[in-house]
C-alpha cells in the first residue's frame, strides 16, 4: 500500500501560548487567544485523518548544508528556551520518533540528487516550534510518532520545494498515513522592545508590527482558502520572501512542495483567528488533502 499525506496545516507555536490561562487572559484583556481552542480543533482534524505519524516542519531548527529529518527513536527530557527562559522553562517532554521514515526520505533524496539527510541521535536538542506542538496537540505518550524536519538556512527558496518533493516520495514508499504541520508564523517582523500596543488585547491583529504585513498576511490566507498555492509561489520573491515569513517560509514551502508545489489546489480552512504575537502574524490553517478534488 502506498503511503499518503492525509492532512496538513500551518500552525502557530508562539511561546505565549505555553503560559497559564490566567496570564494569557491578562494579555488578552479578559479573553484567551483563539489559537488555544484552535489547537483543539486541530487535534480533532488529526484524529479524524487517522494519521500514523505527524511530521513537523520546524521553523526554529536551523541547519546548514542539508534539510535534516529527525530520525531518533524517542525523545525525552526537560526543555528550556534560550530565547525566553524567564517563562518557557522546565517543560518536560517524552514522545516517539520514527527512524524508518527519516531513513526512507534520505534514501529517496540521494536517488534524486537532493539534500535531505536523516539524523538519528537521541541527544539532538529540541526547539519549541516542535515541543510546543507536541504538548498542545497531546502527542506525548501517544501511539502517534513525531518526525521533525529542519529549515536549512543556506539555500534559495525553490530548494525547499525540492525537499518537499523528496519527502512526499519517501512518504509514498513508507506506506504510512502522514499529517504534515508547518510550525511557524506568516509575517515575522517583531515589535521593538519599547513598543506600545495599539489595542489593549495584545493578541489583536492590529498589534501586528506593520499595517502592510497585516494586508499581506490576510491576502495569503484568502489565497489558502481558495487553494491558490500557485499564486502564493508566484508572489514569493517579491512579497512573502520580503515580509519575510518565519524562517523565510521554510515550514510552508517544504509542506506545499510535498503537496505538489504550484500544482497544489488543496484549500485551507482557518481553525483560529488571525492574531498578533510580538508583532508576528499567526494563525492555524488546515488543508484537507484527502477530501479535495483530485486527491
Amino acid at each position: 500500500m502506498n503511503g499518503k499525506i492525509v492532512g496538513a496545516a500551518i500552525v502557530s507555536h508562539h511561546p505565549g501560548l505555553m503560559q497559564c490561562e490566567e496570564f494569557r487572559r491578562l494579555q488578552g484583556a479578559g479573553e484567551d487567544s483563539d489559537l488555544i481552542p484552535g489547537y483543539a480543533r486541530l487535534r480533532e482534524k488529526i484524529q479524524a485523518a487517522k494519521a500514523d505519524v505527524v511530521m513537523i516542519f520546524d521553523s526554529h531548527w536551523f541547519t546548514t548544508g542539508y534539510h535534516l529529518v529527525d530520525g531518533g527513536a524517542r525523545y525525552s527530557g526537560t526543555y528550556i528556551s534560550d530565547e525566553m527562559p524567564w517563562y518557557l522553562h522546565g517543560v518536560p517532554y517524552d514522545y516517539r520518533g520514527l527512524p524508518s521514515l527519516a531513513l526512507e526520505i534520505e534514501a529517496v533524496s540521494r536517488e534524486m540528487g537532493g539534500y535531505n539527510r536523516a539524523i538519528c541521535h537521541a541527544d539532538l536538542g529540541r526547539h519549541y516550534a516542535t515541543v510546543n506542538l507536541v504538548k498542545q496537540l497531546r502527542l506525548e505518550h501517544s501511539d502517534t510518532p513525531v518526525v521533525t524536519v529542519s529549515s536549512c538556512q543556506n539555500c534559495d527558496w525553490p530548494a525547499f520545494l525540492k525537499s518537499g518533493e523528496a519527502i512526499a516520495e519517501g512518504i509514498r514508499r513508507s506506506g504510512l498515513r502522514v499529517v504534515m504541520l508547518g510550525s511557524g508564523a506568516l509575517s515575522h517582523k517583531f515589535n521593538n522592545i519599547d513598543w506600545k500596543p495599539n489595542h489593549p488585547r495584545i493578541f489583536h491583529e492590529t498589534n501586528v508590527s506593520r499595517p502592510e504585513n497585516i494586508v499581506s498576511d490576510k491576502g495569503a490566507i484568502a489565497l489558502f482558502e481558495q487553494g491558490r498555492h500557485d499564486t502564493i509561489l508566484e508572489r514569493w520573491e517579491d512579497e512573502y520572501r520580503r515580509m519575510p515569513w518565519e524562517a523565510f517560509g521554510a515550514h510552508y514551502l517544504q509542506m506545499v512542495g510535498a503537496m505538489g508545489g504550484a500544482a497544489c489546489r488543496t484549500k485551507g480552512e482557518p481553525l483560529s483567528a488571525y492574531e498578533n504575537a510580538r508583532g508576528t502574524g499567526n494563525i492555524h490553517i488546515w488543508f484537507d488533502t484527502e477530501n479535495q478534488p483530485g486527491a
Side-chain angles (χ1 to χ4, degrees):
M1 181 181 70
N2 289 339
K4 62 191 306 186
I5 298 163
V6 294
I10 293 173
V11 189
S12 175
H13 61 243
H14 78 79
L17 302 173
M18 298 297 285
Q19 297 180 103
C20 67
E21 181 179 349
E22 180 182 7
F23 188 80
R24 292 197 309 266
R25 287 188 180 276
L26 285 173
Q27 294 281 297
E31 296 182 51
D32 203 349
S33 165
D34 192 51
L35 294 166
I36 295 296
Y39 280 126
R41 299 171 193 128
L42 180 54
R43 288 196 300 268
E44 292 176 359
K45 296 287 189 183
I46 294 172
Q47 184 176 15
K50 297 181 172 60
D52 296 315
V53 58
V54 170
M55 176 174 287
I56 297 176
F57 295 95
D58 189 314
S59 58
H60 280 232
W61 183 21
F62 288 107
T63 54
T64 306
Y66 291 108
H67 310 283
L68 293 185
V69 186
D70 196 339
R74 187 167 207 97
Y75 296 98
S76 62
T78 303
Y79 179 75
I80 180 169
S81 165
D82 55 3
E83 180 184 355
M84 297 179 180
W86 59 93
Y87 72 81
L88 191 53
H89 62 86
V91 181
Y93 60 87
D94 187 358
Y95 63 95
R96 295 172 52 208
L98 193 60
S100 61
L101 180 56
L103 293 168
E104 187 72 75
I105 292 168
E106 176 175 327
V108 168
S109 182
R110 289 183 182 275
E111 288 177 16
M112 295 171 61
Y115 297 93
N116 300 68
R117 298 292 182 268
I119 181 72
C120 304
H121 200 307
D123 293 331
L124 187 65
R126 305 291 83 199
H127 299 273
Y128 69 72
T130 290
V131 172
N132 290 5
L133 264 57
V134 167
K135 304 295 285 189
Q136 295 283 4
L137 299 176
R138 301 176 185 171
L139 295 169
E140 286 189 291
H141 313 296
S142 75
D143 293 330
T144 307
V146 175
V147 173
T148 299
V149 179
S150 77
S151 299
C152 182
Q153 63 184 341
N154 65 319
C155 60
D156 293 329
W157 66 268
F160 291 121
L161 300 176
K162 291 291 186 181
S163 172
E165 292 174 13
I167 287 167
E169 178 60 16
I171 289 171
R172 188 191 69 79
R173 295 186 192 183
S174 74
L176 297 165
R177 296 173 60 86
V178 178
V179 165
M180 302 186 304
L181 305 179
S183 180
L186 301 183
S187 63
H188 201 249
K189 167 73 173 174
F190 288 115
N191 288 322
N192 289 336
I193 194 169
D194 58 354
W195 165 79
K196 304 300 181 187
N198 300 314
H199 191 283
R201 187 171 183 269
I202 299 299
F203 302 125
H204 196 271
E205 65 179 48
T206 55
N207 287 323
V208 169
S209 59
R210 298 182 298 195
E212 57 266 36
N213 286 19
I214 299 171
V215 171
S216 179
D217 286 348
K218 287 192 168 185
I221 292 166
L223 289 170
F224 288 145
E225 291 181 286
Q226 298 163 31
R228 296 312 305 260
H229 301 274
D230 58 332
T231 305
I232 294 278
L233 296 177
E234 285 170 6
R235 297 179 181 175
W236 194 265
E237 192 66 45
D238 293 331
E239 182 173 351
Y240 306 116
R241 173 63 180 80
R242 297 180 186 277
M243 281 291 110
W245 284 12
E246 186 162 13
F248 300 109
H251 55 307
Y252 166 70
L253 291 169
Q254 292 184 93
M255 187 177 75
V256 78
M259 294 193 296
C264 179
R265 292 294 181 273
T266 304
K267 294 181 179 180
E269 174 190 355
L271 297 184
S272 75
Y274 169 71
E275 293 189 359
N276 161 68
R278 291 187 180 265
T280 69
N282 290 258
I283 191 171
H284 304 323
I285 301 180
W286 174 256
F287 300 97
D288 187 350
T289 58
E290 283 211 290
N291 297 306
Q292 298 283 347

